[in-house]
Coordinates of all heavy atoms in Angstrom, one line a residue:
G1160 N 7.3 1.3 12.6 CA 6.6 1.4 11.3 C 5.1 1.4 11.5 O 4.4 2.0 10.6
V1161 N 4.6 0.8 12.5 CA 3.1 0.7 12.7 C 2.6 2.1 12.9 O 1.5 2.5 12.4 CB 2.8 -0.2 13.9 CG1 1.3 -0.1 14.3 CG2 3.2 -1.6 13.7
K1162 N 3.4 3.0 13.6 CA 3.0 4.4 13.8 C 2.7 5.1 12.4 O 1.8 5.8 12.2 CB 4.1 5.1 14.6 CG 3.6 6.3 15.3 CD 4.6 6.7 16.4 CE 6.1 6.6 16.2 NZ 6.8 7.6 15.4
A1163 N 3.6 4.8 11.5 CA 3.5 5.4 10.1 C 2.3 4.8 9.4 O 1.6 5.6 8.7 CB 4.8 5.2 9.4
V1164 N 2.0 3.6 9.6 CA 0.9 2.9 9.0 C -0.4 3.7 9.5 O -1.2 4.1 8.7 CB 0.7 1.4 9.3 CG1 -0.6 0.9 8.9 CG2 1.9 0.7 8.7
R1165 N -0.5 3.9 10.8 CA -1.6 4.6 11.3 C -1.8 6.0 10.8 O -2.8 6.4 10.3 CB -1.5 4.6 12.9 CG -2.8 5.1 13.5 CD -2.7 5.3 15.0 NE -2.1 4.1 15.7 CZ -1.0 4.1 16.3 NH1 -0.2 5.2 16.4 NH2 -0.5 3.0 16.9
E1166 N -0.7 6.7 10.8 CA -0.7 8.1 10.3 C -1.1 8.3 8.9 O -1.9 9.1 8.5 CB 0.8 8.7 10.6 CG 1.0 10.0 10.1 CD 1.3 11.0 11.2 OE1 1.2 10.6 12.4 OE2 1.6 12.2 10.9
V1167 N -0.5 7.4 8.0 CA -0.8 7.5 6.6 C -2.2 7.0 6.3 O -2.9 7.6 5.5 CB 0.3 6.7 5.8 CG1 -0.2 6.5 4.4 CG2 1.6 7.4 5.8
T1168 N -2.7 6.0 7.0 CA -4.0 5.5 6.8 C -5.0 6.6 7.2 O -6.0 6.9 6.4 CB -4.3 4.3 7.7 OG1 -3.3 3.3 7.3 CG2 -5.7 3.7 7.4
E1169 N -4.8 7.2 8.3 CA -5.8 8.3 8.8 C -5.7 9.5 7.8 O -6.8 10.0 7.4 CB -5.4 8.8 10.2 CG -5.9 7.8 11.2 CD -5.8 8.3 12.7 OE1 -4.9 9.1 13.0 OE2 -6.7 8.0 13.5
A1170 N -4.5 9.9 7.4 CA -4.4 11.0 6.5 C -5.0 10.8 5.2 O -5.7 11.7 4.6 CB -2.9 11.4 6.3
C1171 N -4.9 9.6 4.6 CA -5.5 9.3 3.3 C -7.0 9.3 3.5 O -7.7 9.9 2.6 CB -5.1 7.9 2.9 SG -3.5 7.8 2.1
A1172 N -7.6 8.7 4.6 CA -9.0 8.7 4.8 C -9.5 10.1 4.9 O -10.6 10.5 4.3 CB -9.4 7.9 6.0
E1173 N -8.8 11.0 5.7 CA -9.3 12.4 5.9 C -9.3 13.1 4.6 O -10.2 14.0 4.3 CB -8.4 13.1 6.9 CG -8.7 12.7 8.3 CD -7.6 13.0 9.3 OE1 -6.7 13.9 9.0 OE2 -7.6 12.5 10.4
L1174 N -8.3 12.9 3.7 CA -8.2 13.7 2.4 C -9.3 13.2 1.5 O -9.8 14.0 0.7 CB -6.9 13.4 1.7 CG -5.6 14.2 2.2 CD1 -4.4 13.6 1.5 CD2 -5.8 15.7 2.0
G1175 N -9.7 11.9 1.5 CA -10.7 11.4 0.6 C -10.1 10.4 -0.4 O -10.8 10.1 -1.4
V1176 N -8.9 9.9 -0.1 CA -8.4 8.8 -1.0 C -9.3 7.6 -0.7 O -9.7 7.4 0.4 CB -6.9 8.5 -0.6 CG1 -6.4 7.3 -1.2 CG2 -6.0 9.7 -0.8
K1177 N -9.6 6.9 -1.8 CA -10.6 5.8 -1.6 C -10.0 4.4 -1.3 O -10.6 3.6 -0.7 CB -11.5 5.7 -2.9 CG -12.4 6.9 -3.1 CD -13.3 7.3 -1.9 CE -14.5 6.4 -1.7 NZ -15.2 6.9 -0.5
Y1178 N -8.8 4.2 -1.8 CA -8.1 2.9 -1.7 C -6.6 3.2 -1.3 O -5.9 4.0 -1.9 CB -8.1 2.1 -2.9 CG -9.5 1.8 -3.4 CD1 -10.2 2.7 -4.2 CD2 -10.2 0.6 -3.0 CE1 -11.5 2.4 -4.6 CE2 -11.5 0.4 -3.4 CZ -12.1 1.3 -4.2 OH -13.4 1.0 -4.6
L1179 N -6.1 2.5 -0.3 CA -4.7 2.6 0.1 C -4.2 1.1 0.2 O -4.8 0.3 1.0 CB -4.6 3.3 1.5 CG -3.2 3.3 2.1 CD1 -2.2 4.1 1.3 CD2 -3.3 3.8 3.5
T1180 N -3.2 0.8 -0.6 CA -2.7 -0.6 -0.5 C -1.3 -0.6 0.0 O -0.4 0.1 -0.5 CB -2.8 -1.3 -1.9 OG1 -4.1 -1.3 -2.4 CG2 -2.3 -2.7 -1.9
L1181 N -1.1 -1.3 1.1 CA 0.2 -1.3 1.8 C 0.9 -2.7 1.6 O 0.3 -3.7 1.9 CB 0.1 -1.0 3.3 CG -0.6 0.3 3.7 CD1 -0.7 0.4 5.2 CD2 0.2 1.5 3.1
Y1182 N 2.2 -2.7 1.2 CA 3.0 -3.9 1.0 C 3.5 -4.3 2.4 O 4.5 -3.8 2.8 CB 4.1 -3.6 0.1 CG 4.6 -4.8 -0.7 CD1 5.6 -4.7 -1.7 CD2 4.1 -6.1 -0.6 CE1 6.0 -5.7 -2.5 CE2 4.5 -7.2 -1.4 CZ 5.5 -6.9 -2.3 OH 6.0 -8.0 -3.1
A1183 N 2.8 -5.2 3.1 CA 3.1 -5.4 4.5 C 4.0 -6.7 4.6 O 4.9 -6.8 5.6 CB 1.9 -5.7 5.4
F1184 N 3.9 -7.6 3.7 CA 4.8 -8.8 3.7 C 4.8 -9.5 2.3 O 3.7 -9.9 1.9 CB 4.3 -9.8 4.8 CG 5.3 -10.9 5.1 CD1 6.3 -10.6 6.1 CD2 5.2 -12.1 4.5 CE1 7.2 -11.6 6.4 CE2 6.1 -13.1 4.8 CZ 7.1 -12.9 5.8
S1185 N 5.9 -9.5 1.7 CA 6.0 -10.1 0.4 C 6.2 -11.6 0.5 O 6.7 -12.1 1.6 CB 7.1 -9.5 -0.5 OG 8.3 -9.9 0.1
Q1186 N 5.9 -12.3 -0.6 CA 6.2 -13.8 -0.5 C 7.7 -14.0 -0.3 O 8.1 -14.9 0.4 CB 5.8 -14.4 -1.8 CG 5.8 -15.9 -1.8 CD 5.4 -16.5 -3.1 OE1 4.2 -16.7 -3.3 NE2 6.3 -16.8 -4.0
E1187 N 8.5 -13.1 -0.8 CA 10.0 -13.3 -0.7 C 10.4 -13.0 0.8 O 11.5 -13.4 1.2 CB 10.7 -12.3 -1.6 CG 10.6 -12.6 -3.1 CD 9.2 -12.2 -3.7 OE1 8.5 -11.4 -3.1 OE2 8.9 -12.7 -4.8
N1188 N 9.6 -12.3 1.5 CA 10.0 -12.0 2.9 C 10.1 -13.2 3.8 O 10.7 -13.1 4.9 CB 9.0 -11.0 3.6 CG 9.2 -9.5 3.1 OD1 8.2 -8.8 3.1 ND2 10.4 -9.2 2.7
W1189 N 9.6 -14.4 3.4 CA 9.8 -15.6 4.2 C 11.2 -15.9 4.3 O 11.6 -16.7 5.2 CB 9.0 -16.8 3.5 CG 7.5 -16.7 3.5 CD1 6.7 -16.5 2.4 CD2 6.6 -16.7 4.7 NE1 5.4 -16.5 2.8 CE2 5.3 -16.6 4.2 CE3 6.8 -16.8 6.0 CZ2 4.2 -16.6 5.0 CZ3 5.7 -16.8 6.9 CH2 4.4 -16.7 6.4
N1190 N 12.1 -15.4 3.4 CA 13.5 -15.7 3.4 C 14.3 -15.0 4.5 O 15.5 -15.2 4.7 CB 14.2 -15.4 2.1 CG 13.6 -16.2 0.9 OD1 13.3 -17.4 1.1 ND2 13.4 -15.6 -0.2
R1191 N 13.6 -14.2 5.2 CA 14.2 -13.4 6.3 C 14.5 -14.4 7.5 O 13.9 -15.4 7.6 CB 13.3 -12.3 6.8 CG 13.2 -11.2 5.7 CD 12.6 -10.0 6.2 NE 12.7 -9.0 5.1 CZ 12.7 -7.7 5.3 NH1 12.6 -7.2 6.5 NH2 12.9 -6.9 4.3
P1192 N 15.4 -13.9 8.5 CA 15.6 -14.8 9.7 C 14.2 -15.2 10.3 O 13.3 -14.3 10.4 CB 16.4 -13.9 10.6 CG 17.0 -12.9 9.7 CD 16.1 -12.7 8.5
K1193 N 14.2 -16.4 10.8 CA 12.9 -16.9 11.3 C 12.4 -16.0 12.4 O 11.2 -15.8 12.5 CB 13.2 -18.3 11.9 CG 12.9 -19.5 11.0 CD 12.6 -20.7 11.9 CE 12.0 -21.8 11.0 NZ 13.0 -22.7 10.5
L1194 N 13.3 -15.5 13.3 CA 12.9 -14.7 14.4 C 12.2 -13.4 13.9 O 11.2 -13.0 14.5 CB 14.1 -14.4 15.2 CG 13.9 -14.4 16.7 CD1 13.5 -15.7 17.2 CD2 15.2 -14.0 17.4
E1195 N 12.7 -12.8 12.9 CA 12.2 -11.6 12.3 C 10.8 -11.9 11.8 O 9.8 -11.1 12.0 CB 13.1 -11.0 11.3 CG 12.5 -9.6 10.8 CD 13.4 -8.9 9.8 OE1 14.6 -9.2 9.7 OE2 12.9 -8.0 9.1
V1196 N 10.7 -13.0 11.0 CA 9.4 -13.3 10.4 C 8.3 -13.5 11.5 O 7.2 -13.0 11.4 CB 9.5 -14.6 9.5 CG1 8.1 -15.1 9.1 CG2 10.3 -14.3 8.3
S1197 N 8.7 -14.3 12.6 CA 7.7 -14.5 13.6 C 7.3 -13.2 14.4 O 6.2 -13.0 14.7 CB 8.0 -15.7 14.5 OG 9.2 -15.3 15.2

Side-chain angles (χ1 to χ4, degrees):
V1161 173
K1162 203 159 39 79
V1164 169
R1165 188 185 311 117
E1166 176 116 353
V1167 167
T1168 304
E1169 281 191 328
C1171 281
E1173 280 164 19
L1174 281 173
V1176 172
K1177 295 308 283 180
Y1178 301 88
L1179 172 66
T1180 302
L1181 302 179
Y1182 208 177
F1184 194 84
S1185 71
Q1186 186 178 276
E1187 292 77 15
N1188 284 151
W1189 293 114
N1190 296 324
R1191 293 192 171 204
K1193 264 205 170 89
L1194 218 61
E1195 182 176 344
V1196 170
S1197 65

